[in-house]
Amino acid sequence: MNDWIAVMITILGRRNSSSVQLVMWAINEIGVEFERLDYGHGFATTNTPAYLAMNPMGRVPVLQDGPVTMFESAAILRYLGAAYGSETFWPACPRSRASLDAIAEWGKNTFAEGVLRIFVYEVRMSAATRDPAFLAAAVENLIPLAKIFEGFLRGREWVGGDHFTFADIACGHILHRYFSLDWDRPDLPMLRDYYEKLQQRTAYQQNAMVPFDDLKRSYRPL
């Protein structure tokens, strides 16, 4: 239980960020009150002392909840689950949660990063800066990861078993981009059916299926 009264959770971050989408999907599934303020990439700048004090990386999202201020979307997801989630969404027992934690970590990092490599090529790079070798390497990296994802779904209703959990958010938030991008996807029927099932969830429609037109040709290499 919280030892403070949270008036409302505040999320700082633009809605077309995949990391913000993960957090907002979780908030809407759990059903806590919130406000979201647009920050980053054409909105309020993250390069200010005040913002950098909350997230020294200058990225989105940032969560504010009473005395709690934190960054990193996967950490925010875990916080939301522990603070506000049901036992089904976030099992309190570490042993019951262990396999879900592992899948969630893999989904947010390894799988999502693989999808985002193709996203950078297809959406954020201009035609003049695209190197087909970059796309080929990204596809070669992602196909085996997608097959691993398919394996998580074999014999299961959701990635962790019979119930929708935080692990589905960590893994599933990026599937809209996975299936919307123009690349040679492998035929994985369980993964496709899983995505179709996610699309039936109102919170997924509102927070993960967000247009990314504003991000086109916006890539700036470091």
Side-chain angles (χ1 to χ4, degrees), residues 178-197:
Y178 175 94
F179 281 102
S180 297
L181 297 172
D182 182 17
W183 66 288
D184 190 16
R185 285 184 297 275
D187 183 20
L188 299 173
M190 286 182 288
L191 186 58
R192 183 185 62 248
D193 291 348
Y194 175 73
Y195 175 57
E196 291 177 357
K197 185 163 54 178

Tab-separated table of all heavy atoms in Angstrom, residues 178-197:
chain	number	residue	atom	x	y	z
A	178	TYR	N	5.756	-3.838	-35.675
A	178	TYR	CA	6.226	-5.081	-36.300
A	178	TYR	C	5.353	-5.433	-37.505
A	178	TYR	O	5.857	-5.792	-38.575
A	178	TYR	CB	6.202	-6.203	-35.267
A	178	TYR	CG	6.542	-7.577	-35.799
A	178	TYR	CD1	7.847	-8.065	-35.732
A	178	TYR	CD2	5.556	-8.401	-36.342
A	178	TYR	CE1	8.157	-9.333	-36.213
A	178	TYR	CE2	5.863	-9.665	-36.821
A	178	TYR	CZ	7.163	-10.124	-36.757
A	178	TYR	OH	7.463	-11.385	-37.240
A	179	PHE	N	4.038	-5.347	-37.340
A	179	PHE	CA	3.127	-5.750	-38.405
A	179	PHE	C	2.799	-4.612	-39.376
A	179	PHE	O	2.269	-4.880	-40.462
A	179	PHE	CB	1.832	-6.309	-37.815
A	179	PHE	CG	1.972	-7.725	-37.335
A	179	PHE	CD1	2.119	-8.006	-35.977
A	179	PHE	CD2	1.975	-8.788	-38.223
A	179	PHE	CE1	2.254	-9.313	-35.523
A	179	PHE	CE2	2.118	-10.096	-37.792
A	179	PHE	CZ	2.258	-10.366	-36.435
A	180	SER	N	3.092	-3.384	-39.052
A	180	SER	CA	2.789	-2.260	-39.940
A	180	SER	C	3.933	-1.946	-40.893
A	180	SER	O	3.700	-1.355	-41.960
A	180	SER	CB	2.467	-1.001	-39.119
A	180	SER	OG	1.315	-1.195	-38.328
A	181	LEU	N	5.136	-2.304	-40.532
A	181	LEU	CA	6.296	-1.986	-41.350
A	181	LEU	C	6.364	-2.901	-42.569
A	181	LEU	O	5.869	-4.029	-42.561
A	181	LEU	CB	7.580	-2.114	-40.519
A	181	LEU	CG	7.690	-1.162	-39.334
A	181	LEU	CD1	8.903	-1.510	-38.480
A	181	LEU	CD2	7.762	0.291	-39.805
A	182	ASP	N	6.998	-2.400	-43.623
A	182	ASP	CA	7.115	-3.132	-44.882
A	182	ASP	C	8.430	-3.905	-44.892
A	182	ASP	O	9.481	-3.371	-45.239
A	182	ASP	CB	7.048	-2.147	-46.053
A	182	ASP	CG	7.105	-2.861	-47.396
A	182	ASP	OD1	6.875	-4.089	-47.423
A	182	ASP	OD2	7.379	-2.186	-48.409
A	183	TRP	N	8.358	-5.158	-44.479
A	183	TRP	CA	9.552	-6.008	-44.499
A	183	TRP	C	9.109	-7.457	-44.673
A	183	TRP	O	7.927	-7.768	-44.569
A	183	TRP	CB	10.398	-5.820	-43.231
A	183	TRP	CG	9.747	-6.284	-41.963
A	183	TRP	CD1	8.706	-5.692	-41.297
A	183	TRP	CD2	10.088	-7.448	-41.201
A	183	TRP	NE1	8.381	-6.402	-40.170
A	183	TRP	CE2	9.214	-7.484	-40.082
A	183	TRP	CE3	11.042	-8.432	-41.329
A	183	TRP	CZ2	9.278	-8.478	-39.115
A	183	TRP	CZ3	11.115	-9.435	-40.365
A	183	TRP	CH2	10.236	-9.448	-39.271
A	184	ASP	N	10.043	-8.317	-44.963
A	184	ASP	CA	9.735	-9.709	-45.289
A	184	ASP	C	9.548	-10.509	-44.002
A	184	ASP	O	10.440	-11.224	-43.549
A	184	ASP	CB	10.860	-10.300	-46.143
A	184	ASP	CG	10.487	-11.658	-46.714
A	184	ASP	OD1	9.284	-11.991	-46.705
A	184	ASP	OD2	11.399	-12.385	-47.150
A	185	ARG	N	8.344	-10.383	-43.405
A	185	ARG	CA	8.056	-11.071	-42.148
A	185	ARG	C	7.911	-12.572	-42.361
A	185	ARG	O	7.324	-13.012	-43.355
A	185	ARG	CB	6.759	-10.535	-41.527
A	185	ARG	CG	6.876	-9.182	-40.892
A	185	ARG	CD	5.565	-8.773	-40.227
A	185	ARG	NE	4.502	-8.664	-41.227
A	185	ARG	CZ	4.285	-7.571	-41.944
A	185	ARG	NH1	5.053	-6.508	-41.782
A	185	ARG	NH2	3.303	-7.547	-42.832
A	186	PRO	N	8.396	-13.374	-41.414
A	186	PRO	CA	8.155	-14.819	-41.499
A	186	PRO	C	6.691	-15.125	-41.208
A	186	PRO	O	5.997	-14.347	-40.538
A	186	PRO	CB	9.063	-15.389	-40.406
A	186	PRO	CG	9.204	-14.273	-39.413
A	186	PRO	CD	9.179	-13.006	-40.223
A	187	ASP	N	6.201	-16.256	-41.713
A	187	ASP	CA	4.816	-16.667	-41.474
A	187	ASP	C	4.733	-17.345	-40.114
A	187	ASP	O	5.121	-18.510	-39.958
A	187	ASP	CB	4.358	-17.625	-42.582
A	187	ASP	CG	2.898	-18.033	-42.413
A	187	ASP	OD1	2.169	-17.311	-41.701
A	187	ASP	OD2	2.503	-19.080	-42.970
A	188	LEU	N	4.250	-16.603	-39.137
A	188	LEU	CA	4.144	-17.102	-37.763
A	188	LEU	C	2.691	-16.932	-37.318
A	188	LEU	O	2.308	-15.892	-36.792
A	188	LEU	CB	5.096	-16.327	-36.844
A	188	LEU	CG	6.581	-16.434	-37.202
A	188	LEU	CD1	7.409	-15.501	-36.349
A	188	LEU	CD2	7.075	-17.876	-37.040
A	189	PRO	N	1.859	-17.947	-37.528
A	189	PRO	CA	0.414	-17.795	-37.300
A	189	PRO	C	0.028	-17.511	-35.862
A	189	PRO	O	-0.925	-16.763	-35.613
A	189	PRO	CB	-0.171	-19.130	-37.780
A	189	PRO	CG	0.979	-20.088	-37.800
A	189	PRO	CD	2.191	-19.267	-38.099
A	190	MET	N	0.742	-18.069	-34.900
A	190	MET	CA	0.385	-17.801	-33.508
A	190	MET	C	0.695	-16.361	-33.130
A	190	MET	O	-0.059	-15.732	-32.375
A	190	MET	CB	1.109	-18.775	-32.573
A	190	MET	CG	0.527	-20.173	-32.603
A	190	MET	SD	1.333	-21.319	-31.455
A	190	MET	CE	2.908	-21.562	-32.285
A	191	LEU	N	1.782	-15.831	-33.652
A	191	LEU	CA	2.117	-14.431	-33.384
A	191	LEU	C	1.103	-13.510	-34.052
A	191	LEU	O	0.674	-12.516	-33.448
A	191	LEU	CB	3.530	-14.128	-33.890
A	191	LEU	CG	4.094	-12.744	-33.553
A	191	LEU	CD1	4.111	-12.511	-32.054
A	191	LEU	CD2	5.490	-12.571	-34.138
A	192	ARG	N	0.690	-13.828	-35.259
A	192	ARG	CA	-0.328	-13.025	-35.941
A	192	ARG	C	-1.658	-13.069	-35.186
A	192	ARG	O	-2.304	-12.035	-34.983
A	192	ARG	CB	-0.523	-13.543	-37.363
A	192	ARG	CG	-1.518	-12.715	-38.190
A	192	ARG	CD	-1.775	-13.328	-39.549
A	192	ARG	NE	-2.380	-14.656	-39.446
A	192	ARG	CZ	-1.799	-15.797	-39.786
A	192	ARG	NH1	-0.562	-15.790	-40.276
A	192	ARG	NH2	-2.418	-16.949	-39.660
A	193	ASP	N	-2.054	-14.260	-34.749
A	193	ASP	CA	-3.314	-14.376	-33.998
A	193	ASP	C	-3.239	-13.624	-32.673
A	193	ASP	O	-4.236	-13.026	-32.232
A	193	ASP	CB	-3.633	-15.854	-33.744
A	193	ASP	CG	-4.005	-16.601	-35.016
A	193	ASP	OD1	-4.232	-15.951	-36.050
A	193	ASP	OD2	-4.034	-17.849	-34.973
A	194	TYR	N	-2.085	-13.653	-32.056
A	194	TYR	CA	-1.890	-12.933	-30.792
A	194	TYR	C	-2.050	-11.431	-31.013
A	194	TYR	O	-2.717	-10.740	-30.231
A	194	TYR	CB	-0.508	-13.266	-30.244
A	194	TYR	CG	-0.100	-12.505	-29.007
A	194	TYR	CD1	-0.664	-12.789	-27.770
A	194	TYR	CD2	0.888	-11.528	-29.069
A	194	TYR	CE1	-0.273	-12.107	-26.624
A	194	TYR	CE2	1.291	-10.839	-27.933
A	194	TYR	CZ	0.707	-11.131	-26.718
A	194	TYR	OH	1.096	-10.457	-25.594
A	195	TYR	N	-1.462	-10.930	-32.088
A	195	TYR	CA	-1.592	-9.505	-32.407
A	195	TYR	C	-3.044	-9.141	-32.668
A	195	TYR	O	-3.529	-8.085	-32.209
A	195	TYR	CB	-0.724	-9.169	-33.619
A	195	TYR	CG	-0.862	-7.762	-34.117
A	195	TYR	CD1	-0.616	-6.671	-33.283
A	195	TYR	CD2	-1.244	-7.506	-35.433
A	195	TYR	CE1	-0.743	-5.365	-33.745
A	195	TYR	CE2	-1.369	-6.206	-35.900
A	195	TYR	CZ	-1.119	-5.143	-35.056
A	195	TYR	OH	-1.242	-3.851	-35.514
A	196	GLU	N	-3.765	-9.993	-33.364
A	196	GLU	CA	-5.184	-9.734	-33.614
A	196	GLU	C	-5.970	-9.688	-32.303
A	196	GLU	O	-6.896	-8.886	-32.144
A	196	GLU	CB	-5.748	-10.796	-34.552
A	196	GLU	CG	-5.202	-10.687	-35.977
A	196	GLU	CD	-5.699	-11.789	-36.888
A	196	GLU	OE1	-6.439	-12.687	-36.406
A	196	GLU	OE2	-5.353	-11.765	-38.089
A	197	LYS	N	-5.588	-10.532	-31.360
A	197	LYS	CA	-6.258	-10.529	-30.058
A	197	LYS	C	-5.934	-9.256	-29.278
A	197	LYS	O	-6.819	-8.683	-28.630
A	197	LYS	CB	-5.840	-11.774	-29.270
A	197	LYS	CG	-6.562	-11.955	-27.950
A	197	LYS	CD	-6.416	-13.384	-27.440
A	197	LYS	CE	-4.974	-13.827	-27.343
A	197	LYS	NZ	-4.868	-15.199	-26.795
